[in-house]
Amino acid sequence: MQVPDARVVVFTPTKRFAPDFHRHILQGRIVGQTVRPGDRILVYEVAETVPDGAVRVTRSTHLEFR
């Protein structure tokens, strides 16, 4: 089964205190990876993906932090 490329991936912090540098680290690690809602990466959880379900993060994927 082929995993579609993500257009948008929305992250929410799993900890109250999530410093901005964690966003930078996450952005460097996530490109090329397959993620799905519920996955935890560093101090963030994948809350939503477009399209829905498992997706591959590319350089053109919009990463949103809420």
Side-chain angles (χ1 to χ4, degrees):
M1 180 176 148
Q2 190 171 0
V3 178
D5 289 348
R7 290 194 304 269
V8 179
V9 177
V10 178
F11 295 94
T12 56
T14 57
K15 295 184 177 186
R16 185 186 257 189
F17 179 65
D20 287 340
F21 74 87
H22 282 148
R23 290 182 185 190
H24 179 72
I25 293 169
L26 180 135
Q27 290 168 339
R29 285 189 181 177
I30 198 145
V31 173
Q33 301 296 317
T34 299
V35 299
R36 62 191 49 79
D39 285 355
R40 289 181 178 227
I41 304 155
L42 296 175
V43 295
Y44 294 100
E45 182 173 333
V46 177
E48 189 179 330
T49 60
V50 177
D52 289 333
V55 293
R56 185 168 57 95
V57 179
T58 67
R59 288 187 174 156
S60 62
T61 300
H62 175 70
L63 304 179
E64 187 176 316
F65 296 88
R66 293 187 184 164

